[in-house]
Amino acid sequence: MRVLVTGASGFLGGHLVDRCLAEGHQVRALVRENSDVSRLRTVEGVELVHGALEDAASLARAVEGVDVVHHSAARVVDHGTRAQFRQANVTGTEQLLGAARRAGASRFVFVSSPSALMRVKEGDRLGIDESTPYPDRFLNLYSETKAAAEQAVLAADGPDFTTVSLRPRGIWGPRDHSGFLPRMVAKMLSGRLPDLSAGKPVQVSLCHSDNAVAACLKAAAAPAERVSGKAYFVADRERTDLWAFLARLAELFGGRPPTRTIPPPVRDALAAAVELVWRIPPLRARVEPPLNRYKVALLTRSATYDTGAAERDFGYVPETDQETGLRGLLDWVDSIGGGEAFVRACR
């Protein structure tokens, strides 16, 4: 098939490009003019199209003659105004949907997130499935705009234009410098991340990049009547003790797990205070907050996901187990110079 990948200069998008090429597809990558495409330029067979989700003319060029769109580009940082998040995650997705449909694409695979379903106040939840509704209030602008974008994608489904949304949780793997897990590990290695769990076990689902990519390609090839207009959770087979996993990563990269702890009342008060300060426009627009309720929720709430629907409808089975994934991740960290180089890359 002829495939377009957005976010191709990033972590998941780059792996999507590699896998699509390996399976014999013709691959086009939508990249910004200022994106680092040094790695993509070394990948034989990929066609680069410069443009942006807010640039309608570039989107028309990008989707011309394309059968399948894999939309993984998004604003995933912890800072930004509502307008910035809306433009990147909602308006951009809506414009890409329209361009793809007008160009005759038959399948649109959207990389969403379980964060779209996170509530402001919620306890541990295990075995979450697709019957879970969207919340009335969201933890942050990322969650809010990913939910809005996902709803736009599913609403765009039609007889000749099949849309499907995937919700991989905590994507991890080699070549990730800026995702949630590498940033947490980098802070742990540099001594800037205390143990926020206060000794509470935090059980989570994660999703190795191999498994997220496999889900994207399987969803793109599945019969339309099975996946049309649906959203699916995607995760690794293992249920993971999050803080033990972070500590193991720190040790693998030559560091130590955190020894400092913050009592939950102090932790929550700090998060609320930081969010109050980060209402100042220059900070909100440009600087990542050191702590907020979203980060606290990701690091202290147990959340696991039932992938039975993805297995039933398009044959999703995790390809890479956690031990294999860890060996691959360690090999990559060694290839870039070890733990210190990893910390520098994540800053």
Side-chain angles (χ1 to χ4, degrees):
M1 294 184 289
R2 292 163 295 181
V3 174
L4 172 69
V5 177
T6 72
S9 62
F11 167 47
L12 180 62
H15 284 289
L16 267 168
V17 167
D18 294 348
R19 182 65 173 268
C20 288
L21 287 169
E23 295 201 359
H25 301 302
Q26 298 175 44
V27 180
R28 184 179 296 158
L30 177 65
V31 294
R32 291 182 175 274
E33 291 286 352
N34 61 352
S35 294
D36 180 1
V37 294
S38 53
R39 194 198 75 85
L40 282 175
R41 292 196 185 282
T42 69
V43 179
E44 185 177 354
V46 63
E47 175 191 356
L48 300 183
V49 174
H50 288 94
L53 294 175
E54 63 269 20
D55 180 354
S58 70
L59 293 184
R61 293 194 302 272
V63 298
E64 184 178 358
V66 162
D67 301 306
V68 175
V69 174
H70 288 287
H71 181 32
S72 71
R75 184 180 183 90
V76 297
V77 293
D78 273 349
H79 62 277
T81 64
R82 179 175 298 277
Q84 287 173 318
F85 275 96
R86 289 283 311 178
Q87 175 59 54
N89 293 347
V90 184
T91 306
T93 297
E94 291 171 340
Q95 293 188 161
L96 182 61
L97 280 165
R101 187 166 41 205
R102 288 190 296 271
S106 58
R107 187 69 52 100
F108 192 102
V109 180
F110 177 60
V111 181
S112 185
S113 169
S115 294
L117 304 179
M118 289 178 69
R119 298 189 179 320
V120 173
K121 294 183 179 180
E122 187 171 62
D124 298 337
R125 297 193 65 190
L126 304 179
I128 300 168
D129 65 21
E130 288 79 5
S131 66
T132 303
Y134 298 106
D136 296 324
R137 295 174 56 219
F138 294 89
L139 266 171
N140 64 356
L141 291 171
Y142 171 71
S143 300
E144 177 184 324
T145 54
K146 286 300 281 187
E150 179 177 89
Q151 291 174 83
V153 168
L154 301 184
D157 181 76
D160 300 313
F161 186 62
T162 299
T163 65
V164 58
S165 181
L166 304 181
R167 300 166 174 169
R169 166 68 188 269
I171 306 175
W172 66 286
R175 306 207 308 252
D176 186 11
H177 299 97
S178 59
F180 179 75
L181 278 175
R183 284 187 284 121
M184 293 303 101
V185 173
K187 287 181 179 180
M188 189 178 286
L189 290 173
S190 60
R192 295 179 293 123
L193 179 68
D195 184 348
L196 300 178
S197 71
K200 171 197 167 190
V202 181
Q203 298 292 319
V204 300
S205 292
L206 301 175
C207 189
H208 190 272
S209 53
D210 289 348
N211 298 332
V213 166
C216 288
L217 270 69
K218 286 180 177 293
E225 62 272 15
R226 286 184 174 269
V227 300
S228 180
K230 296 180 182 178
Y232 297 93
F233 290 115
V234 178
D236 295 341
R237 190 182 305 280
E238 298 88 352
R239 178 183 290 184
T240 298
D241 181 328
L242 178 61
W243 284 91
F245 186 71
L246 290 172
R248 185 177 180 190
L249 287 175
E251 291 171 349
L252 284 173
F253 299 161
R256 293 182 302 172
T259 55
R260 294 181 297 128
T261 61
I262 299 179
V266 175
R267 175 199 70 200
D268 296 343
L270 283 172
V274 169
E275 287 194 1
L276 184 62
V277 172
W278 250 253
R279 292 181 182 177
I280 300 172
L283 281 176
R284 185 175 62 217
R286 300 185 182 90
V287 182
E288 178 186 357
L291 192 68
N292 55 27
R293 289 177 300 168
Y294 179 68
K295 287 180 180 177
V296 169
L298 290 177
L299 290 167
T300 64
R301 290 183 190 176
S302 290
T304 64
Y305 299 90
D306 183 345
T307 62
E311 181 178 354
R312 179 195 67 227
D313 289 354
F314 54 88
Y316 171 72
V317 177
E319 295 183 350
T320 298
D321 61 75
Q322 196 166 95
E323 290 304 312
T324 302
L326 282 170
R327 288 195 296 271
L329 181 60
L330 186 58
D331 287 345
W332 171 71
V333 170
D334 287 342
S335 75
I336 64 172
E340 291 185 3
F342 174 76
V343 172
R344 289 194 299 272
C346 292
R347 285 175 179 164

